[in-house]
Amino acid sequence: MTAFAVGDTICVPEDGYRFGTGDLVLSVTEVVSRGPFEGTEWAELKGHDVRPDGTLAPRERFAFVRVDRARVVWVVTL
């Protein structure tokens, strides 16, 4: 089971999150909730989209992500 933490950057294919189009690359600022939905573990996350050039979108967004379809691609350690 994937553990998301504030500061992690995750990548999720289009079929692994709601709502949006294309792959999602998100810098996580808050894990709002996590639990089962339609027989699968989902997480409601808040964060900033990571643009192709590596910069962060200025506005935060919510994403509802299937935990088993997401992968952490960058971890911030404190």
Side-chain angles (χ1 to χ4, degrees), residues 38-78:
E38 296 181 348
T40 308
E41 186 82 9
W42 288 73
E44 184 180 5
L45 306 173
K46 191 173 176 183
H48 295 272
D49 285 316
V50 179
R51 298 176 177 146
D53 68 0
T55 61
L56 299 179
R59 295 179 79 166
E60 279 190 312
R61 65 166 291 178
F62 284 93
F64 194 48
V65 174
R66 268 185 61 164
V67 173
D68 65 337
R69 299 288 289 144
R71 62 187 171 88
V72 176
V73 294
W74 182 261
V75 177
V76 173
T77 56
L78 302 175

Side-chain angles (χ1 to χ4, degrees), residues 15-27:
D15 67 349
Y17 75 102
R18 294 184 179 174
F19 296 91
T21 57
D23 292 349
L24 172 68
V25 181
L26 187 75
S27 176

